Amino acid sequence: MGKTITALSIDGGGVRGIIPGVLLAFLESKLQELDGKEVRIADYLDYIAGTSTGGLVATMLAAPDKNHRPLFKAKDITEFYLEHCPKIFPQRSGRFFGSIMGYVDVIKGPKYDGVYLHNLVKELLGDTRIGETLTDVVIPTYDVKLGKSTVFSTSEAKDDVSMNALLSDICISTSAAPIYLPAHEFKTEDSHGNLRSFNLVDGGIAANNPTLLAVTHIEKHEEIVPHKFLLISLGTGKEKGENTFTAADASKWGVLGWLRMLINALLRMSNEMAENPVISLFHALKSGKNYLRIQDDTLTGNASSVDIATKENLTNLVKIGNELLKKPAVYYGKRNSTHLNEAILKEEETNEEALTRFAKLLSDERKLRIAAGLM
């Protein structure tokens, strides 16, 4: 009673963070219909994992304000993106000139200097450390000096003081997408006062979809049992279809062409490696309806970019998020010998209806915890 593990995972994707922002606003509105206007998503979740822009969203949901309540309401996330993305990713005037200069910038160094983002995050989060979040937050980064991923979490910060970094440093690091934003360096102290140095970039290199990372983290701290695990995984959208490049195309590529291909391949593999084991886990638990993955894989043009922050594109991403709510929820068929079959059950529920169902499950779980004196 009252011991179901509840978790949320949010992908990376730059400006496309607007899409999960729209979905989270809907989820929180449903929770408020059940339990009152003062409740927030963090009141219901044991774990929130987020990569890159998803790490920013996770922090917005779980970082405490001066009253020890979440720093942001879910409905404010979209407005935050609409206001600040054009300043984080300033657009060059003139489509042709902007495109040419963008390539020049990438050759010279990061496309954007990151100053506005850094100042904004530091101002919002101040001296708050990850060990102080209202629920357990899990945020991946990649250490370029050590050549391996570094995952920050609330629970680990309580066990290892050197991992109890400032939330601002963690957010800046996990969003430092190669090519787009500069890497971030900072230091912490261990329990003996020794300095520990971090040299970090975007967590998407390790896990753009942090769902599997979240499950692995949970398994270290919890016993996962059938029907006692609820997981919502929110994507930020991906480009429609597969790459249509041929060997003839690739034979003509220079550095930039291959760089683009390698980045796209890295993100695709990251998503596949995260999704398949999680699907298998929920099949093993015989609780497939307790896992909800919402992703739009039909993005085209500007909508599929991570940094086109024009008013037109940002507004379109809001529209895409709202339309995604109306699309059928996706569940997964039985595993065959080679891969996992995906089945869309149109007759069952839309994403909107699925989130409404999860809101009721989360609300019931919270009521059980309150009744049992666990909250």
Side-chain angles (χ1 to χ4, degrees):
M1 297 286 287
K3 294 184 179 180
T4 296
I5 301 165
T6 57
L8 168 68
S9 174
I10 311 162
D11 289 11
V15 298
R16 301 198 313 267
I18 287 177
I19 296 174
V22 171
L23 303 177
L24 290 166
F26 178 83
L27 174 62
E28 191 166 89
S29 73
K30 290 301 172 182
L31 292 169
Q32 291 173 342
E33 288 178 10
L34 294 167
D35 299 325
K37 290 295 183 182
E38 298 306 312
V39 299
R40 301 286 179 264
I41 286 175
D43 297 330
Y44 298 83
L45 296 170
D46 299 311
Y47 301 90
I48 305 178
T51 297
S52 193
T53 198
L56 295 178
V57 173
T59 299
M60 293 165 77
L61 294 173
D65 64 13
K66 62 182 179 180
N67 297 314
H68 206 63
R69 294 296 292 149
L71 194 60
F72 281 79
K73 301 174 184 177
K75 68 178 183 180
D76 295 331
I77 293 173
T78 297
E79 287 301 319
F80 178 89
Y81 273 74
L82 292 174
E83 178 183 353
H84 296 292
C85 280
K87 301 169 187 175
I88 296 171
F89 303 112
Q91 306 296 292
R92 294 186 181 276
S93 60
R95 186 171 180 179
F96 176 77
F97 177 75
S99 177
I100 294 299
M101 291 307 297
Y103 281 120
V104 172
D105 288 344
V106 168
I107 293 171
K108 289 169 29 182
K111 192 173 180 180
Y112 307 99
D113 60 23
V115 172
Y116 183 86
L117 174 63
H118 295 189
N119 291 338
L120 175 64
V121 170
K122 289 176 181 177
E123 180 182 352
L124 285 172
L125 297 173
D127 296 329
T128 304
R129 294 184 179 274
I130 194 169
E132 302 172 66
T133 56
L134 300 174
T135 192
D136 199 332
V137 170
V138 182
I139 301 177
T141 63
Y142 185 82
D143 195 309
V144 293
K145 186 174 182 179
L146 299 179
K148 66 177 185 178
S149 61
T150 299
V151 181
F152 293 90
S153 71
T154 307
S155 51
E156 186 168 358
K158 293 176 180 178
D159 296 333
D160 180 355
V161 67
S162 72
M163 293 296 288
N164 193 20
L166 290 171
L167 267 174
S168 58
D169 281 326
I170 295 171
C171 285
I172 290 168
S173 299
T174 194
S175 58
I179 299 177
Y180 295 98
L181 291 164
H184 186 57
E185 179 184 4
F186 63 89
K187 293 180 174 63
T188 61
E189 289 187 1
D190 64 18
S191 57
H192 301 290
N194 300 313
L195 290 179
R196 180 173 180 177
S197 178
F198 296 91
N199 298 268
L200 306 176
V201 295
D202 191 343
I205 291 180
N208 193 60
N209 174 349
T211 307
L212 179 59
L213 182 69
V215 171
T216 302
H217 178 81
I218 292 167
E219 287 179 324
K220 288 172 59 178
H221 298 87
E222 311 270 4
E223 181 183 359
I224 298 178
V225 297
H227 309 297
K228 287 292 183 180
F229 188 20
L230 295 176
L231 174 59
I232 300 173
S233 175
L234 303 180
T236 57
K238 63 181 182 180
E239 195 168 5
K240 181 179 180 180
E242 300 296 327
N243 289 331
T244 57
F245 304 119
T246 65
D249 296 323
S251 66
K252 302 172 185 176
W253 287 343
V255 173
L256 292 178
W258 277 107
L259 190 57
R260 181 189 176 196
M261 170 57 79
L262 290 172
I263 291 173
N264 286 339
L266 181 66
L267 295 179
R268 286 177 185 274
M269 287 188 293
S270 173
N271 286 330
E272 290 175 3
M273 291 174 65
E275 287 181 13
N276 289 352
V278 174
I279 295 166
S280 295
L281 170 66
F282 277 88
H283 275 301
L285 296 177
K286 301 186 185 303
S287 56
K289 295 296 288 290
N290 284 5
Y291 169 56
L292 177 63
R293 170 70 174 170
I294 302 181
Q295 173 71 304
D296 189 327
D297 58 3
T298 65
L299 301 186
T300 59
N302 289 349
S304 64
S305 89
V306 299
D307 70 324
I308 295 182
T310 61
K311 182 178 180 180
E312 179 183 14
N313 189 48
L314 298 179
T315 302
N316 186 45
L317 290 171
V318 176
K319 179 183 177 183
I320 289 170
N322 284 312
E323 291 174 345
L324 187 54
L325 285 168
K326 305 297 183 182
K327 292 184 177 182
V330 175
Y331 297 98
Y332 295 86
K334 294 181 179 179
R335 196 178 197 282
N336 64 27
S337 60
T338 58
H339 65 281
L340 290 158
N341 292 324
E342 182 179 285
I344 298 179
L345 306 181
K346 293 185 178 181
E347 70 280 4
E348 287 209 19
E349 57 186 0
T350 62
N351 287 319
E352 185 175 71
E353 291 167 337
L355 286 172
T356 300
R357 177 171 60 83
F358 267 77
K360 182 65 167 60
L361 292 170
L362 290 169
S363 175
D364 289 346
E365 172 64 18
R366 182 171 179 266
K367 288 182 174 71
L368 287 171
R369 294 183 186 190
I370 292 172
L374 300 174
M375 295 185 71

